[in-house]
Amino acid sequence: METITSEVLISRLADWGVDTVFGIPGDGINGIMEGLRRNADRVRFVLTHHEEAAAFMATAHAKATGRIGVCLATSGPGGIHLANGLYDAKLDHAPVLAITGMQETSVLGTGYQQEVDLTRLYEDVSVYNQLIVNPQQLPALVDVAIRHAYARRGVAHLCVPNDIQVAPADADPYQHVSPAKPPATAPVYLPSSVRPRDEDVARAAEVINGSAKAAILVGVGARGAGALVERMADTIAAPVVKTLSGKMVIPDDSPYTTGGIGLLGTAPSEELIDDIDTLVMLGTNFPYTKHLPQAGKVKVVQVEIEETRAGIRLPTDVPLIGDVEATLHALIPRLTRRTDRSHLQRYQAQMRDWNEKMHALENGERDPIAPQYLASCLDELANEDAVLCCDSGTIATWAARHWRIRGGREFYLSGNLATMAPGLPYSIAIQHAFPDRQVIAYQGDGGFAMLMAEFNTACRYDLPIKVVINNNNALGQILWEQMVLGYPEHGVRFGDPKPDFSAWAHACGGFGARVEKAGDLRAALVEAFTHRGPALVDVTVDPNEPPMPGKVSYEQAKKFAQAFLHGQPHKASIATTLFKDKIQQLKADR
């Protein structure tokens, strides 16, 4: 059997260490599917139900393993469906390769069926974007695409027309020049350990040593350098604030952290940001500037691997271009140990008080079930090395505050895109990559319903993910955002009939349980977590529990009150829930 071009494509992926491709077949990629079939001993094809999920899976694979994730879609609508998941990879800087099909080269430009110029569509999302027009371009362009994805931390795209896919691998219809032939040996990408210049490190140390009240803000770019972050915090007696994507950089019980920042953050972090003279930013490009110090009021040292991102959020006194680990190894020896610990101790005390208040809301005696209680049960029952894949919405608040990083735990979500629905496909990809770890998909009912067919994918591949649905039968985050704007809620509650997602789990061949009473929750989660295969627990929670910011501003409170005055339809239930929350927190203060 003659070797076809698609066979060379897939074989070169395998040479790069790619062992999995996520996607859906289609008539625009039948040749590539044959290439996968002929390389089935080296590359596994994971069949999804939606191309968006395939892109999310590739993104999650890249985030969790550090290795390139690969997704595959047919021409036209298939390639369009990939886009949302690819933007997740772009905005969170995950190395992903998207492979798409295209109509035969002879009909391009004629308005043929499903003809969509995917290279133009992907111009904004990709760091490398190429249409293959000659079999001789492969495998060299596979190498180029993957190197771009790794080096520029983003999405590379190869679009392969149908006729090129099935052409003989040695075909050369033009024969103008000799094609580039990469070496036959297995290719590797060796990222350099980028270290700032000594003079910049010295300037940064001077700024930090001259501060009286410093804080450290860490993002996911500091992942793997947690011990060094804590060492720096101890040296300069500075509290550490964590972005949500950077939640797993240091443990939540670290004596140095004040937890998260922003709407999902903590009151101590909000207070801290207003009480510092120096901010050290490590591996973060945190976008919500209203939660950062006022520009020009503090000194800023920023460690950033990408030169173009340094100084985007705040005027930066000393930008340090390098990876966090290498930079901290160079910087910490230059720092003077601070003997006055009062600044750090003040926020350690505030954090103890905050944790007591959060614990008070984890009340298992309230019905409807408090979402904080559900999150705390997950925290209590999950393994010490569990991976939590969180969706966007109110559940991100509950995860930020009640899912605690300790031991080998990890935490993933769509950070900068903040899209709905990735929790389930994330969990599938990460479980596939780490079959011996406990992987939990923590989702709202709105996000789960978008890609719920992928629970069937988990069952088909016998991936023992645990799906826990925080079911408030509403688009909860938007509900509260409307009210904070001063508007009564509108169009955000799904109403009746309420779907029973546990029935879907059973229909797929997995474990399913529906919980409506707080007293039944813990036992249902234990049963799901001990089930050997995929399991789903659909938990009805209080739809009137607001995800309150760590520190409520006067303007937020005024707009919230205006929503009540303008005819908020569920104001009695919301007021009752808020009253119960306050009573629980007052008890914690006693």
Side-chain angles (χ1 to χ4, degrees):
M1 185 181 301
E2 81 175 341
T3 301
I4 60 174
T5 300
S6 291
E7 196 172 353
V8 174
L9 167 66
I10 303 303
S11 177
R12 195 58 177 175
L13 292 180
D15 291 342
W16 273 96
V18 172
D19 58 14
T20 304
V21 172
F22 304 96
I24 300 180
D27 55 10
I29 52 170
N30 281 332
I32 296 176
M33 292 303 299
E34 174 62 12
L36 281 163
R37 187 189 71 82
R38 297 186 188 185
N39 284 279
D41 59 331
R42 302 181 70 194
V43 180
R44 186 180 189 187
F45 177 70
V46 173
L47 173 62
T48 67
H49 283 279
H50 198 290
E51 289 91 354
E52 181 182 7
F56 281 140
M57 291 176 192
T59 301
H61 175 91
K63 288 182 177 182
T65 67
R67 304 192 310 272
I68 193 163
V70 182
C71 54
L72 174 66
T74 190
S75 55
I80 295 170
H81 283 161
L82 284 180
N84 194 50
L86 296 181
Y87 271 99
D88 186 32
K90 173 189 174 174
L91 294 185
D92 282 356
H93 314 294
V96 166
L97 173 63
I99 302 172
T100 61
M102 179 61 76
Q103 283 68 27
E104 286 80 357
T105 54
S106 60
V107 298
L108 293 182
T110 67
Y112 200 74
Q113 184 188 31
Q114 294 189 340
E115 185 182 349
V116 175
D117 189 343
L118 294 175
T119 55
R120 289 186 66 188
L121 181 70
Y122 287 1
E123 279 179 358
D124 180 59
V125 77
S126 58
V127 297
Y128 184 81
N129 184 19
Q130 186 63 50
L131 176 70
I132 306 298
V133 295
N134 187 326
Q136 297 306 301
Q137 291 175 278
L138 297 171
L141 289 197
V142 174
D143 291 8
V144 175
I146 291 178
R147 291 186 189 280
H148 272 76
Y150 276 132
R152 299 187 180 177
R153 297 173 177 82
V155 176
H157 171 227
L158 294 177
C159 188
V160 190
N162 277 335
D163 51 333
I164 303 297
Q165 294 174 30
V166 298
D170 59 359
D172 188 0
Y174 306 113
Q175 298 181 358
H176 293 314
V177 295
S178 299
K181 292 290 186 184
T185 55
V188 293
Y189 177 76
L190 299 174
S192 58
S193 180
V194 181
R195 182 185 182 281
R197 299 178 302 180
D198 286 340
E199 55 266 40
D200 293 333
V201 175
R203 288 174 53 223
E206 183 179 354
V207 169
I208 296 169
N209 287 333
S211 68
K213 295 188 293 184
I216 301 169
L217 176 63
V218 298
V220 71
R223 182 185 178 192
L228 288 169
V229 171
E230 290 188 291
R231 182 177 157 196
M232 180 182 184
D234 180 62
T235 301
I236 63 174
V240 179
V241 182
K242 302 191 289 183
T243 69
L244 188 54
S245 294
K247 182 176 174 64
M248 60 184 164
V249 171
I250 64 174
D252 282 312
D253 59 1
S254 167
Y256 304 105
T257 188
T258 58
I261 188 173
L263 290 176
L264 283 61
T266 70
S269 290
E270 292 290 310
E271 293 279 355
L272 174 65
I273 290 298
D274 292 333
D275 184 37
I276 59 175
D277 59 17
T278 302
L279 180 65
V280 182
M281 301 173 67
L282 302 177
T284 179
N285 194 27
F286 185 72
Y288 304 106
T289 53
K290 69 179 181 179
H291 295 287
L292 295 175
Q294 188 175 340
K297 283 206 167 183
V298 301
K299 296 285 189 180
V300 177
V301 173
Q302 183 178 5
V303 179
E304 173 58 65
I305 192 68
E306 171 55 59
E307 299 96 320
T308 60
R309 293 198 296 265
I312 285 181
R313 307 305 178 195
L314 286 174
T316 302
D317 295 88
V318 185
L320 296 174
I321 307 306
D323 64 70
V324 172
E325 183 174 7
T327 302
L328 291 185
H329 274 302
L331 177 62
I332 290 174
R334 295 176 181 262
L335 300 178
T336 302
R337 182 169 181 81
R338 184 157 295 138
T339 56
D340 181 0
R341 320 295 284 181
S342 58
H343 174 61
L344 175 61
Q345 290 166 354
R346 175 184 176 187
Y347 288 97
Q348 288 174 328
Q350 287 194 23
M351 198 59 193
R352 286 192 293 270
D353 180 65
W354 170 265
N355 284 332
E356 288 175 3
K357 284 182 166 60
M358 291 301 100
H359 181 67
L361 297 176
E362 299 169 353
N363 190 324
E365 297 179 359
R366 284 167 58 175
D367 283 310
I369 299 168
Q372 298 96 325
Y373 176 59
L374 169 57
S376 72
C377 286
L378 287 179
D379 179 65
E380 175 194 352
L381 297 173
N383 294 343
E384 290 296 291
D385 69 341
V387 180
L388 188 76
C389 301
C390 184
D391 218 328
S392 299
T394 57
I395 46 157
T397 300
W398 315 134
R401 296 176 178 172
H402 303 277
W403 168 261
R404 296 169 179 90
I405 297 298
R406 59 178 181 268
R409 285 185 175 182
E410 295 183 4
F411 177 79
Y412 297 96
L413 82 169
S414 174
N416 287 304
L417 186 62
T419 179
M420 293 175 67
L424 178 58
Y426 266 35
S427 67
I428 289 172
I430 294 174
Q431 189 74 84
H432 176 78
F434 300 104
D436 296 328
R437 294 185 70 174
Q438 183 185 59
V439 182
I440 302 167
Y442 180 43
Q443 295 195 270
D445 52 298
F448 178 78
M450 285 184 173
L451 292 174
M452 60 188 286
E454 302 307 335
F455 189 81
N456 175 257
T457 302
C459 292
R460 281 189 286 109
Y461 289 98
D462 196 26
L463 296 169
I465 61 169
K466 312 305 173 190
V467 179
V468 180
I469 301 174
N470 183 87
N471 192 341
N472 56 17
N473 201 38
L475 297 173
Q477 189 72 32
I478 308 306
L479 185 160
W480 300 108
E481 287 176 351
Q482 289 179 355
M483 291 183 66
V484 169
L485 288 172
Y487 308 140
E489 65 175 75
H490 180 71
V492 290
R493 304 207 188 216
F494 290 114
D496 293 322
K498 299 181 180 67
D500 181 356
F501 294 117
S502 66
W504 169 242
H506 285 297
C508 292
F511 170 89
R514 184 174 176 85
V515 179
E516 298 181 343
K517 296 292 183 182
D520 300 329
L521 176 58
R522 198 177 186 281
L525 290 174
V526 169
E527 189 174 3
F529 285 2
T530 55
H531 181 71
R532 293 177 63 88
L536 180 151
V537 182
D538 182 7
V539 185
T540 299
V541 300
D542 187 349
N544 298 306
E545 181 70 53
M548 301 296 285
K551 187 178 179 181
V552 179
S553 69
Y554 169 76
E555 190 65 24
Q556 288 170 328
K558 184 178 77 172
K559 293 292 188 181
F560 196 80
Q562 286 176 355
F564 272 57
L565 293 174
H566 292 161
Q568 167 61 27
H570 296 274
K571 60 185 177 183
S573 298
I574 293 170
T576 300
T577 300
L578 289 170
F579 177 75
K580 289 178 180 178
D581 284 351
K582 194 62 180 177
I583 290 296
Q584 295 300 322
Q585 291 182 329
L586 288 171
K587 286 180 179 179
D589 288 336
R590 292 172 59 185

